[in-house]
Amino acid sequence: FKDLQSKEEMPEFKKITEKEVTSVSKLESGLDDGRLDPIFVIGLESTGISLFSNWLINNNLNVFNDRLNSKGRNDILSQLIEISIFSHLDDNNERLERRKYFQKAKTVKSELSNDDQIVDCMNINVFQMAIIKKFFPKAKTILLSRNTPDIWLNQKILDKELIDSSDWNETKNQLISMGLNLIHIDLDLWLENDKETFNLLNKVFGKELQKSEKNEEKYWQRTLLAKDHWKNYQQFLGQ
């Protein structure tokens, strides 16, 4: 109960340098504590992460989306650690932080066992991805993406994103360069129930995922505002 009451603000988006990206890409860990690494789903409101995480919940997966509310479990992913310290950490430290991570998860879902697959959803933070690379080396990470003009339009409407659309490509390239086990999912293809996209997701989660009936609706019927598609606002792009 105390763990649930002592939630801390999650770190704000933190850019890292190309030198740090390179150092993270070289990180290795031979740790094997018998626990199944989580599947991390990362995205933004403008790339549909809330919609996607709710769909995962409807597929009866062990989904944690508390971090999407800017607060989350007080674990390794809520800490600010200098990347330069990573090289000085040993297996005992990694083992301890992993154990804490799964213990915190059980404060939310007490029925979890060591054999259960956890799906942890969070807003994109390249710094946190560095922590994943170090402490969860076998984890699969799903990156939700969209057409950049769609991201731009949604951010203009919502006005509350951690990453500006102008930084989107740089951030995405940093994630790719870090050497994560990264799976890229195009939100529009997912919304269209694209066969290849669903085959990939089925493989990642190890089960046949049900397609959402809502995804059969036309694009502009699924968005926040009527006809909220970038092609309807082309004359405003870049302003």
Side-chain angles (χ1 to χ4, degrees):
F1 179 78
K2 289 182 180 179
D3 287 334
L4 292 173
Q5 295 297 316
S6 62
K7 293 179 179 179
E8 297 182 358
E9 291 291 334
M10 293 297 292
E12 294 184 358
F13 175 73
K14 179 182 178 181
K15 286 189 175 181
I16 62 178
T17 65
E18 289 305 313
K19 183 178 180 181
E20 288 176 317
V21 171
T22 301
S23 67
V24 170
S25 70
K26 296 178 180 178
L27 288 176
E28 295 182 357
S29 173
L31 179 65
D32 185 2
D33 59 2
R35 295 180 182 272
L36 183 64
D37 277 6
I39 295 174
F40 292 97
V41 178
I42 59 174
L44 299 168
E45 284 301 314
S46 52
T47 62
I49 188 167
S50 294
L51 181 66
F52 192 83
S53 67
N54 288 334
W55 170 73
L56 292 174
I57 292 172
N58 291 335
N59 274 278
N60 299 316
L61 293 163
N62 293 308
V63 178
F64 291 83
N65 56 7
D66 49 323
R67 302 187 200 276
L68 300 182
N69 298 318
S70 80
K71 292 185 177 181
R73 284 146 284 139
N74 181 20
D75 54 28
I76 186 66
L77 287 165
S78 67
Q79 300 176 27
L80 290 174
I81 307 172
E82 291 298 326
I83 292 176
S84 59
I85 296 177
F86 284 178
S87 59
H88 303 297
L89 300 177
D90 58 22
D91 284 355
N92 289 331
N93 182 277
E94 292 177 45
R95 196 183 305 275
L96 176 62
E97 291 298 344
R98 284 171 61 87
R99 189 173 71 205
K100 287 181 180 178
Y101 172 89
F102 289 104
Q103 286 175 339
K104 297 293 183 181
K106 284 188 176 181
T107 63
V108 181
K109 294 180 184 286
S110 59
E111 69 279 8
L112 283 175
S113 72
N114 289 351
D115 297 324
D116 289 330
Q117 179 70 72
I118 292 176
V119 184
D120 205 343
C121 303
M122 64 184 72
N123 289 306
I124 292 176
N125 185 324
V126 180
F127 177 78
Q128 287 176 310
M129 296 305 102
I131 294 177
I132 288 174
K133 179 70 183 296
K134 180 62 176 176
F135 292 93
F136 305 94
K138 298 179 182 178
K140 297 175 182 176
T141 303
I142 294 176
L143 170 63
L144 298 178
S145 184
R146 294 181 74 184
N147 189 303
T148 303
D150 275 327
I151 296 175
W152 175 87
L153 177 60
N154 274 261
Q155 290 185 1
K156 289 293 183 181
I157 295 170
L158 299 174
D159 192 30
K160 59 169 188 176
E161 285 287 30
L162 292 170
I163 300 177
D164 188 82
S165 57
S166 61
D167 297 323
W168 175 250
N169 286 331
E170 178 186 356
T171 301
K172 191 162 59 173
N173 288 337
Q174 281 192 325
L175 291 171
I176 295 170
S177 299
M178 289 167 72
L180 296 161
N181 186 2
L182 198 66
I183 297 98
H184 178 258
I185 295 297
D186 185 297
L187 186 79
D188 292 311
L189 291 177
W190 170 71
L191 285 170
E192 294 167 3
N193 287 325
D194 175 70
K195 183 177 179 180
E196 289 187 10
T197 299
F198 267 81
N199 286 341
L200 178 57
L201 289 170
N202 291 339
K203 183 177 180 181
V204 170
F205 290 101
K207 62 179 292 187
E208 190 77 19
L209 299 171
Q210 298 298 315
K211 298 175 182 178
S212 173
E213 294 180 1
K214 291 184 179 179
N215 292 350
E216 300 296 335
E217 298 176 357
K218 293 183 179 179
Y219 184 89
W220 54 85
Q221 294 173 323
R222 296 190 302 261
T223 48
L224 183 65
L225 301 175
K227 299 184 179 179
D228 180 14
H229 190 282
W230 70 271
K231 289 184 178 179
N232 296 316
Y233 299 85
Q234 291 188 75
Q235 67 269 34
F236 302 115
L237 294 180
Q239 295 185 17

